[in-house]
Every structure is written in C-alpha cells, then in structure tokens.
Amino acid sequence: MTRIRRASVGALAALVLGTTAACGTGGPDGDGPTPTTGGSASATAPATPSASVTAPAPAAPEGEPAEGFAPATTTATAEPSGARVTVVDVRVGTHDGYDRVVYEVAGGGVPGYRVGYVDQAVQDGSGEPVDVAGDTVLDVWLTGTGYPHDTGHDEFPQDVGPREGTVVQVTRPLTFEGMTQSVVGVAGERRPFRVFVLQDPVRVVVDVQTS
C-alpha cells in the first residue's frame, strides 16, 4: 500500500508540472517600434503633427503617435539625417478613424519629408501633371533619398490602388536629385492628416483622417 500511494503522489506532481508547461507565458508579439520625434508644421495651422510622440499603442498597426491630426491647411516638414535611403515598400491600410500610408525605406539613414495638399501634383524633373485617383491630392516628398545605385536597394516599382476608402490611390515613388515624390489621392474634400517616422525598419507614416 505504501508503494502505491507514493506512485500516485508522483503521478499527480507530473500532471501539475505538465499542465503548467502547457499554459506557458507566450502571447502575441510585443508592441511595435517607438516613433521617432522631430518635424514641424507650417502654413496657416499652428498644429505640429509630428512634434511629440509616445510609445505606440499595442493595438495600432505600424505604431501610433499620441498627437492629433493637423488641419488640412498644414504643411508638415522634417529634415533628413544620415545616409541616403530608397523607398523599398509602400502600403496602405484602413483603420478606425484614419487611412494609413507607410513608406518603408532602406539605406541606413532617416529621410526628411514635406507633406501637404496641392491643387495639382507636378512630377519633379519633367514638370508633367501627376495622374492619381481621388478628388484631392496630398503631395508627399521624402528628402535625403538616393537612386538604387546609391543605396544598394531597389525602389518600389508600382502604384498602390485604386482602392476603396479615404486614401484611394498612392503613386509609385519617383526619385530625382535627392528627393522622392509620391502622390496620395484622397476621396472627397481635403482632410486633416499627420506625419511621423518609425524605426526598425525606418518608415515615414502618413495618416489621413476619415472621420
């Protein structure tokens, strides 16, 4: 009888240990990377879309700044730093209250930007109008960029869209003399927006408010 009772205790202990190991401590990936501060807003609006940010909210894709949206009359700007970069990916997503355009870059540096609405986007170099779906045009310029032979990375080769949503199309990035242009077509009237930079990998994010 003594041997039987000891075996039962051992089996119970093994069962408890096995259950604990099965539960584990795993879960979803950690929070996204922390946004980089910097940048300024000009024109008629006093708001600064990228002047102060905090750690990203866990539920927000691509990270999430704490700042609100700047008025549509704003021009958001920031200076580049480090080595030249090339835009290697462009993606668009629809989220609660905004559509998000992400420009991922590679090459070692952090690009600057100048983002604002224009009546008609004009292609740098040729001076030709840029055709893009949508009713209003948000002109995105990334500065401190280089050609693929400068950075060793291929430039993203295609438009994104047309698509449903507030951001209906984003034109492929085109680089000329250290600047890369991409045009965001927006449905309806000019809407508030915000711009900020994320790290690991480096991304310039443009959010356009939907409501």
Side-chain angles (χ1 to χ4, degrees), residues 73-95:
T73 52
T74 299
T75 297
T77 62
E79 294 298 317
S81 62
R84 291 188 180 275
V85 298
T86 295
V87 178
V88 297
D89 191 24
V90 179
R91 47 191 180 268
V92 183
T94 297
H95 308 292

Side-chain angles (χ1 to χ4, degrees), residues 13-180:
L15 178 61
V16 171
L17 289 174
T19 303
T20 303
C23 292
T25 57
D29 293 338
D31 294 348
T34 303
T36 299
T37 58
S40 62
S42 59
T44 59
T48 302
S50 57
S52 176
V53 292
T54 61
E62 302 282 359
E64 182 65 57
E67 288 295 297
F69 291 83
T73 52
T74 299
T75 297
T77 62
E79 294 298 317
S81 62
R84 291 188 180 275
V85 298
T86 295
V87 178
V88 297
D89 191 24
V90 179
R91 47 191 180 268
V92 183
T94 297
H95 308 292
D96 186 15
Y98 61 92
D99 277 5
R100 172 161 291 182
V101 183
V102 178
Y103 297 94
E104 183 176 328
V105 303
V110 177
Y113 54 79
R114 186 178 79 244
V115 181
Y117 284 98
V118 295
D119 293 331
Q120 172 66 64
V122 177
Q123 186 174 323
D124 194 18
S126 71
E128 293 295 324
V130 179
D131 292 327
V132 62
D135 303 301
T136 53
V137 176
L138 190 61
D139 208 9
V140 177
W141 293 86
L142 303 185
T143 59
T145 59
Y147 300 112
H149 66 259
D150 297 321
T151 65
H153 297 276
D154 292 333
E155 191 167 63
F156 189 73
Q158 63 196 44
D159 296 349
V160 178
R163 60 185 295 276
E164 294 184 357
T166 296
V167 171
V168 293
Q169 187 175 22
V170 179
T171 65
R172 60 165 296 186
L174 293 174
T175 300
F176 182 72
E177 295 185 345
M179 300 182 68
T180 299

